[in-house]
């Protein structure tokens, strides 16, 4: 494996996400651009320091008015790295996030990430 080889295969996507910086209870919006078995890559307007925990809720802006608790999926993740997005027109920062736990309704699905 070379130094640039990835441990997990990435799947590209374009999914809105609501994010809460867990310790500060600060909420903001972001966009998920790729996912893998261990985590995801998000672009957002806020820089979050590595090792901080985030609560992520997948968002579907077309269904906001119809959303019920049963359709919400929440994830707990840890910021692994951040980078400035100098040439992006839509976000200021990229966040590499390791997924820790997933919860849907009342059933927790702990991950093996």
């Amino acid at each position: 494996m070379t130094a640039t080889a990835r441990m997990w295969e990435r799947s590209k996507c374009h999914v809105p996400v609501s994010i809460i910086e867990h310790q500060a209870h600060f909420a903001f919006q972001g966009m998920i651009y790729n996912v893998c078995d261990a985590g995801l890559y998000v672009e957002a307007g806020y820089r979050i320091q590595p090792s901080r925990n985030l609560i992520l809720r997948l968002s579907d802006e077309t269904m906001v008015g119809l959303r019920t608790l049963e359709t919400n999926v929440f994830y707990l993740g840890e910021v692994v790295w951040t980078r400035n997005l100098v040439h992006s027109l839509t976000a200021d920062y990229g966040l590499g996030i390791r997924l820790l736990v997933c919860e849907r309704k009342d059933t927790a699905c702990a991950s093996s990430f």
Side-chain angles (χ1 to χ4, degrees), residues 9-108:
E9 181 180 341
R10 298 333 195 239
S11 296
K12 291 183 180 182
C13 62
H14 192 256
V15 178
V17 62
S18 298
I19 303 168
I20 299 173
E21 200 281 341
H22 187 63
Q23 290 86 346
H25 300 287
F26 174 71
F28 57 98
Q29 299 295 308
M31 186 67 66
I32 301 170
Y33 284 102
N34 72 51
V35 297
C36 69
D37 288 345
L40 46 88
Y41 171 70
V42 173
E43 291 186 357
Y46 298 96
R47 179 182 171 89
I48 305 296
Q49 296 299 321
S51 80
R52 301 297 283 191
N53 289 335
L54 302 177
I55 298 170
L56 304 122
R57 188 186 88 197
L58 299 183
S59 303
D60 183 348
E61 294 173 354
T62 63
M63 295 187 61
V64 169
L66 304 174
R67 187 174 305 282
T68 64
L69 183 60
E70 291 78 22
T71 62
N72 287 333
V73 178
F74 297 88
Y75 295 92
L76 176 63
E78 177 185 20
V79 177
V80 178
W81 54 265
T82 63
R83 71 175 182 201
N84 292 343
L85 300 176
V86 178
H87 301 292
S88 174
L89 298 176
T90 59
D92 296 320
Y93 300 98
L95 308 171
I97 299 171
R98 176 185 307 121
L99 294 176
L100 304 172
V101 175
C102 163
E103 185 167 316
R104 181 184 205 123
K105 293 171 126 182
D106 296 328
T107 307

